Amino acid sequence: MRWDIFCRVVDNYGDIGVTWRLARQLVAEQGAAVRLWVDDMTALARICPQADSELASQCLHGVEVRSWAQPWQAVEPANAVIEAFACELPADYVSTMLASPARILWLNLEYLSAEDWVEGCHGLPSLQGNGLQKFFFFPGFTAGTGGLLREQDLLVRRDAVQQDPVARERFLKSMDVHIAPGSRLISLFAYENAALADWLDCLTSHVTPTHLLVPEGRIMGDLQRWLGQPSEIGSPVHRGSLTIQVLPFMQQEQYDALLWCCDLNLIRGEDSFVRAQWAARPLVWHIYPQEEGAHWDKLEAFMALYCHGLSAAAAAAVQGVWRAWNAGAPLAQPWSEWLRCEDELAAHARAWAKRQAVPADLAAALVQFYRNWL
Ligand code: TRH
């Protein structure tokens, strides 16, 4: 079974983050031969430092990573072709698909959303002008969707770190993170956010010390403004009961492990959002802002699903913090409500991850879709 996955890096790391994980999983767990076509190899090199951004073709973790360069050089199409996030295949590649005597499955892998309409659209074909069919494949949180990316051994690896304090400490030490006993450990990965200062103020005065880990990225400007000084990678800075430590942007596997080690993860976009759910720890989602506020419906849809089973107070705390964080609004009040429900939110995050791990993962669901289509 041969797969071609096409990834156009729009911005940030979500597009490459998702496709790179999917490509590796199809190889490692589904025995597929995968070519991953990437138009911006530097983005891949950020999350996978073994990638050489100068190479037109390289083999990484069993995946044939190819530069999606212009002009397109003709290749024989695979059995199944994934156009990630409507990135539009090269016209010449589509012509070769059309001319091929073999049946080729053409899929558009969509963005993740918990909105109701997703189940109705998942798996639907759309007839293209050239007579080929393209199917819409939607990841999601409910049975009628394509599921979430989750490697077969992910939860076992997570548990090995979460259930063994020595393993957790070893990992943190490898990142040069040393936390004071009794501290709450939080990771922060977000877009620019006007709510940051207010939240950091809350953390400085809290009775429990907080150690905040910030992988370098778009939030750095807000952080440095609040600190009133440039932040050096690695060196902890102290303000009241808050310690802030900026970390270098790390490779994907390390970031996963970091999420497992933290008591709370502030994440963003799509891929870190899913990984934080697998970490089975409370999370605060900074959703990718879309034009005309389209992201608000997505945020509300996910919150409605996620808050199911929480007490009214805990659900209100999640909604309060998530809405304020995404609006750049004052956080003091919702944050104090959140802290009152901490134990319930921690138990809920574990139960949520367990429930989400029941259906097939996205890579397995894609392969099943292909088999059914054959
Ligand atoms: O980077 P993101 O904001 O990505 C996206 C893109 O903006 C995309 O265009 C948009 O459509 C989508 O969001 C919704 O956030 P995301 O999706 O979490 O991707 C980040 C990736 O970077 C993820 O795979 C985790 C990885 N990562 C590392 O590998 N190392 C790190 O240190 C960190 C912080 C993240």
Side-chain angles (χ1 to χ4, degrees):
M1 190 174 37
R2 289 176 301 115
W3 291 71
D4 270 332
I5 303 176
F6 285 83
C7 171
R8 201 182 287 284
V9 177
V10 178
D11 57 3
N12 306 316
Y13 302 102
D15 313 283
I16 190 64
V18 167
T19 50
W20 174 229
R21 278 193 207 282
L22 172 62
R24 276 178 295 167
Q25 212 189 331
L26 284 171
V27 170
E29 297 177 10
Q30 303 295 335
V34 178
R35 281 186 301 207
L36 174 62
W37 300 90
V38 184
D39 73 335
D40 177 2
M41 217 51 102
T42 56
L44 177 61
R46 285 279 279 169
I47 61 170
C48 170
Q50 303 94 309
D52 183 337
S53 49
E54 301 297 317
L55 290 180
S57 172
Q58 57 199 306
C59 184
L60 296 166
H61 296 256
V63 176
E64 190 182 334
V65 179
R66 302 282 289 261
S67 165
W68 180 354
Q70 307 287 350
W72 178 255
Q73 304 286 321
V75 292
E76 195 192 326
N79 309 111
V81 181
I82 297 178
E83 175 182 282
F85 312 122
C87 68
E88 246 188 74
L89 301 181
D92 289 351
Y93 185 90
V94 176
S95 308
T96 328
M97 284 165 72
L98 197 56
S100 171
R103 284 186 77 210
I104 298 169
L105 175 64
W106 183 2
L107 293 156
N108 183 26
L109 177 64
E110 294 285 343
Y111 285 113
L112 176 63
S113 172
E115 288 162 294
D116 285 347
W117 56 264
V118 165
E119 283 190 7
C121 296
H122 172 60
L124 288 187
S126 133
L127 190 61
Q128 306 297 293
N130 56 16
L132 289 175
Q133 268 192 332
K134 174 158 75 175
F135 291 85
F136 295 102
F137 198 93
F138 281 85
F141 306 94
T142 54
T145 69
L148 299 171
L149 280 175
R150 170 175 44 84
E151 299 79 13
Q152 276 166 13
D153 63 350
L154 179 70
L155 305 191
V156 174
R157 287 190 289 115
R158 175 202 67 192
D159 290 346
V161 172
Q162 290 189 338
Q163 291 168 8
D164 179 358
V166 178
R168 176 178 184 259
E169 201 179 321
R170 196 182 314 121
F171 171 75
L172 290 173
K173 212 167 148 195
S174 75
M175 304 300 294
D176 225 359
V177 173
H178 306 272
I179 45 173
S183 292
R184 175 192 285 119
L185 189 61
I186 302 182
S187 77
L188 168 63
F189 180 45
Y191 306 112
E192 296 77 7
N193 196 323
L196 181 71
D198 204 35
W199 182 60
L200 295 178
D201 285 342
C202 299
L203 296 179
T204 55
S205 55
H206 199 266
V207 57
T208 308
T210 298
H211 195 122
L212 181 66
L213 300 173
V214 191
E216 55 175 341
R218 287 175 56 176
I219 196 75
M220 218 52 70
D222 294 316
L223 179 63
Q224 295 182 354
R225 250 188 307 282
W226 182 83
L227 283 170
Q229 65 180 73
S231 47
E232 271 177 47
I233 290 182
S235 320
V237 183
H238 306 279
R239 295 283 186 278
S241 49
L242 173 63
T243 300
I244 299 177
Q245 187 175 1
V246 176
L247 298 178
F249 199 85
M250 58 213 95
Q251 54 180 302
Q252 244 183 357
E253 293 83 352
Q254 289 176 311
Y255 181 62
D256 284 349
L258 184 80
L259 296 173
W260 305 338
C261 292
C262 290
D263 303 301
L264 167 68
N265 293 300
L266 285 80
I267 39 63
R268 72 183 203 193
E270 175 159 334
D271 190 56
S272 58
F273 169 53
V274 172
R275 302 313 273 193
Q277 292 172 53
W278 295 135
R281 295 281 157 87
L283 67 156
V284 178
W285 184 24
H286 198 177
I287 192 169
Y288 183 76
Q290 285 178 284
E291 274 169 32
E292 294 170 21
H295 56 288
W296 283 105
D297 286 346
K298 279 191 186 177
L299 184 76
E300 292 296 330
F302 180 75
M303 282 196 303
L305 210 58
Y306 185 77
C307 289
H308 192 75
L310 279 174
S311 68
V318 170
Q319 287 157 356
V321 168
W322 286 30
R323 284 179 187 142
W325 186 240
N326 280 282
L331 261 163
Q333 174 66 25
W335 180 244
S336 68
E337 285 164 18
W338 178 289
L339 291 176
R340 276 198 288 277
C341 306
E342 256 185 323
D343 291 345
E344 184 182 345
L345 293 176
H348 184 73
R350 286 194 293 276
W352 172 264
K354 208 167 166 184
R355 263 204 315 278
Q356 287 301 316
V358 174
D361 65 83
L362 186 114
L366 273 167
V367 170
Q368 193 55 53
F369 190 88
Y370 173 72
R371 293 203 177 113
N372 294 346
W373 169 83
L374 276 182

